[in-house]
Amino acid sequence: MELYWVAQAVAYWSLVLFLVPINYIKRLMPFAFLGGFIYTWIVQIFAVNIFKRWSFKGDIVMIYNIPVFFTLSWFAVTVIFGYLLWRFSKYQIWLVLFFVIWATIMNYTAHSLNQVFFNGWSIAETFMFAIFSHVLLLYFFKYLHHINELGANETMIQDSFSGLKDRIK
């Protein structure tokens, strides 16, 4: 299954083209490139090559023992994350939770299919690291795009439920 990461990247980029209007894709490129592509590379270099917490099965294109299409796939996911934050900032808690669960499930799936091997790492640690990463991305997005509704505030949880209450009425 040496094309696993290629297939994942194609699937995620297809989702980007399906879900995100082109004008948003253009605006989200700096965020997605830095937060999705570069950040993923940095994490992988530390985790794979320095701390040796996990390793990848050989793939079609590998650089420093990291599948290139793996990082390209998370670049795409970051475009979707940014778009949904931009359009639905009131639901940031649910968006962060959704993407944390998505990352954890995708990591579990890759591990189950022997595409990534854990060496002193677990799915629980993936979940916790995904929380850290997505909150970091949330604040990076807020900083880049000057969106004040994002981030912690006193009414954040209440606001996320008020939109649901409005839709139920």
Side-chain angles (χ1 to χ4, degrees):
M1 196 189 264
E2 69 181 36
L3 298 177
Y4 179 82
W5 301 113
V6 174
Q8 180 174 289
V10 168
Y12 288 176
W13 279 103
S14 297
L15 276 175
V16 167
L17 295 174
F18 180 71
L19 295 173
V20 183
I22 197 74
N23 60 324
Y24 280 95
I25 293 172
K26 290 177 185 176
R27 286 193 256 170
L28 289 165
M29 275 300 128
F31 166 70
F33 180 74
L34 293 171
F37 188 71
I38 299 298
Y39 176 68
T40 300
W41 268 108
I42 292 168
V43 167
Q44 297 311 310
I45 286 171
F46 276 90
V48 171
N49 296 310
I50 296 172
F51 298 124
K52 302 195 185 308
R53 292 306 210 175
W54 57 80
S55 60
F56 292 97
K57 179 179 180 181
D59 198 52
I60 192 166
V61 181
M62 303 274 287
I63 298 176
Y64 300 117
N65 303 316
I66 302 161
V68 171
F69 288 99
F70 171 81
T71 56
L72 288 174
S73 66
W74 289 107
F75 183 5
V77 171
T78 307
V79 172
I80 297 168
F81 183 59
Y83 172 68
L84 293 175
L85 284 173
W86 209 324
R87 296 280 296 149
F88 306 103
S89 60
K90 190 179 246 187
Y91 303 106
Q92 65 184 321
I93 293 171
W94 304 111
L95 292 171
V96 168
L97 182 62
F98 173 79
F99 281 90
V100 164
I101 291 169
W102 181 355
T104 305
I105 290 171
M106 292 300 97
N107 195 291
Y108 176 76
T109 302
H111 179 65
S112 297
L113 295 172
N114 294 321
Q115 298 302 307
V116 64
F117 306 99
F118 297 151
N119 312 315
W121 193 256
S122 68
I123 294 299
E125 289 167 312
T126 296
F127 179 76
M128 290 180 279
F129 189 75
I131 293 170
F132 166 78
S133 292
H134 287 86
V135 170
L136 181 70
L137 287 172
L138 170 81
Y139 278 95
F140 180 57
F141 183 82
K142 176 182 174 149
Y143 173 77
L144 267 182
H145 295 287
H146 310 288
I147 298 177
N148 293 328
E149 294 87 22
L150 296 174
N153 63 53
E154 296 83 19
T155 61
M156 182 170 67
I157 294 174
Q158 192 175 21
D159 290 344
S160 70
F161 283 113
S162 70
L164 292 173
K165 288 178 189 173
D166 294 342
R167 290 180 189 228
I168 292 171
K169 289 180 182 179

